[in-house]
Amino acid sequence: KQWYQRRVQVGETVKITICPLSGHAFELTVQLDSRVDSFKQKVADRLRTDTDNIRILLKDRELRFGSLRENQVARGSSISVLPVMRAGLVGYVTTKSSVLLKSIPDEVLEN
């Protein structure tokens, strides 16, 4: 027997697995004609981070430009999500409220 992969039609949605380093994989339903930048935004929203803080990879190749289809993303693909490493970065705060609290002296917070 020969096995044929079912062709995906234009505009058809498929499920792909997103695998962040946290180990909590999840699935997203996307259109393969979606642009990489809009897909990256969808992943960043789900992870509650900014698109500048993550890199998305398929088979050890970073996805940067074009559509998901042009980057050989297919039904059942697994996308790895890695944090962006910056030189000299000790840590970062993800919410504006905690930045505000860190800038207020302790004696003001105690009163």
Side-chain angles (χ1 to χ4, degrees), residues 10-21:
V10 173
E12 184 178 354
T13 58
V14 296
K15 286 187 179 181
I16 56 176
T17 304
I18 310 300
C19 304
L21 282 181

Side-chain angles (χ1 to χ4, degrees), residues 7 18 20 23 27 39 44 46 53 59 64 77 83 91 94 110-111:
R7 295 189 135 284
I18 310 300
E27 285 188 341
F39 170 70
R46 179 72 183 262
N53 294 333
K59 299 178 183 175
R64 293 184 184 186
S77 291
T94 58
E110 290 172 1
N111 294 330

Side-chain angles (χ1 to χ4, degrees), residues 20 22 24 36 42 48-49 53 75 78 80 87 89 99-101 103 108 110:
S22 66
H24 296 87
V36 169
K42 193 172 186 179
R48 297 181 182 177
T49 190
N53 294 333
R75 178 180 296 111
S78 290
S80 299
L89 184 65
V99 171
L100 177 62
L101 289 175
S103 65
V108 173
E110 290 172 1

